[in-house]
């Protein structure tokens, strides 16, 4: 099974997703430790067949969805995506999941986020990328801040889980705030 290196960092790369990824997606989205911080994925049972249909739709529609693959082992560990892409206002929403728990806490999420932002700002020429994250998801919030996102607001008590209410934090990053790490090496002459 071949992955293609669309954007490559030091630890991982983004590849177009493949039909075979559906089995891993189903496993991730049925694991509450992975799915609950994401949102809707936690509330809907997932099967490889259903996820397979989703992957086929992504490929058919040429959606901006990527598999996150380790550089060292070519192992699928997650998925990142841009959705609600608005070419007129040059904006999009961002989402990511590192589904393989063995890859948590190793910087893969931050690097995959930055690679996806490279794609958004330097290939799609977007100006603004936004996300929403539940306030209890400290690990994701730290990742987003490290990648350059800033908090822009909150939806108070937007999620109800186990009779507890949690805020949704809204974050964004602008193209002018993003410093290119990856694509610039292809278009800028090397510095002597």
């Amino acid at each position: 099974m071949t992955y293609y290196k669309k954007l490559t960092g030091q630890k991982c790369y983004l590849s177009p997703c493949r039909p075979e990824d559906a089995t891993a997606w189903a496993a991730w989205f049925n694991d509450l430790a992975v799915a609950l911080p994401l949102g809707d994925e936690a509330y809907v049972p997932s099967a490889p067949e259903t996820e397979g249909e989703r992957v086929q739709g992504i490929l058919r529609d040429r959606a901006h969805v990527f598999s996150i693959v380790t550089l060292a082992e070519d192992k699928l560990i997650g998925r990142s995506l841009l959705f609600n892409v608005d070419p007129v206002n040059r904006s999009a929403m961002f989402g990511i999941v590192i589904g393989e728990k063995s890859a948590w806490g190793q910087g893969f999420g931050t690097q995959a986020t930055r690679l996806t932002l490279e794609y958004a700002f330097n290939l799609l020429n977007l100006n603004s990328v936004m996300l929403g994250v539940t306030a209890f998801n400290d690990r994701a919030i730290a990742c987003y801040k490290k990648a350059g996102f800033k908090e822009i607001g909150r939806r108070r008590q937007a999620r109800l889980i186990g009779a507890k209410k949690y805020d949704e934090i809204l974050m964004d990053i602008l193209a002018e705030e993003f410093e290119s790490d990856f694509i610039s090496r292809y278009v800028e002459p090397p510095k002597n």
Side-chain angles (χ1 to χ4, degrees):
M1 297 188 284
T2 303
Y3 285 104
Y4 298 98
K5 295 176 180 160
K6 181 72 175 177
L7 286 130
T8 305
Q10 293 82 24
K11 299 173 70 81
C12 63
Y13 63 91
L14 301 184
S15 173
C17 52
R18 304 171 315 148
E20 297 84 3
D21 296 346
T23 302
W25 291 13
W28 299 339
F29 300 144
N30 282 303
D31 181 341
L32 283 180
V34 175
L36 199 56
L38 299 177
D40 294 345
E41 290 84 353
Y43 309 118
V44 180
S46 180
E49 296 80 11
T50 307
E51 296 303 329
E53 291 171 12
R54 185 173 301 175
V55 172
Q56 290 300 330
I58 288 166
L59 296 172
R60 181 186 60 249
D61 298 341
R62 298 178 59 154
H64 307 287
V65 179
F66 297 99
S67 294
I68 303 167
V69 184
T70 63
L71 198 55
E73 301 167 328
D74 280 330
K75 179 182 176 187
L76 174 68
I77 59 167
R79 175 182 84 181
S80 72
L81 65 148
L82 296 170
F83 60 101
N84 294 343
V85 176
D86 179 347
V88 173
N89 294 302
R90 297 178 43 217
S91 64
M93 295 291 293
F94 170 74
I96 188 170
V97 59
I98 300 297
E100 292 299 322
K101 291 187 270 189
S102 62
W104 288 2
Q106 298 181 45
F108 289 112
T110 300
Q111 185 159 99
T113 298
R114 290 194 55 76
L115 288 170
T116 307
L117 292 173
E118 283 276 354
Y119 177 78
F121 294 134
N122 296 319
L123 293 176
L124 296 183
N125 295 311
L126 297 179
N127 183 58
S128 162
V129 176
M130 189 172 96
L131 62 84
V133 59
T134 307
F136 68 76
N137 196 347
D138 295 332
R139 195 167 35 89
I141 294 166
C143 166
Y144 301 144
K145 285 181 178 178
K146 191 171 182 183
F149 281 90
K150 294 176 175 56
E151 184 174 332
I152 58 170
R154 287 178 177 254
R155 289 184 55 224
R156 296 176 302 146
Q157 300 181 8
R159 280 199 68 197
L160 180 64
I161 304 170
K164 291 187 179 180
K165 299 170 186 161
Y166 299 93
D167 291 354
E168 179 183 20
I169 299 171
L170 303 175
M171 303 177 85
D172 77 353
I173 184 170
L174 302 175
E176 64 197 40
E177 298 169 336
F178 183 75
E179 201 168 310
S180 178
D181 293 324
F182 305 100
I183 291 178
S184 61
R185 67 182 135 178
Y186 297 105
V187 294
E188 294 177 4
K191 296 175 183 168
N192 293 336

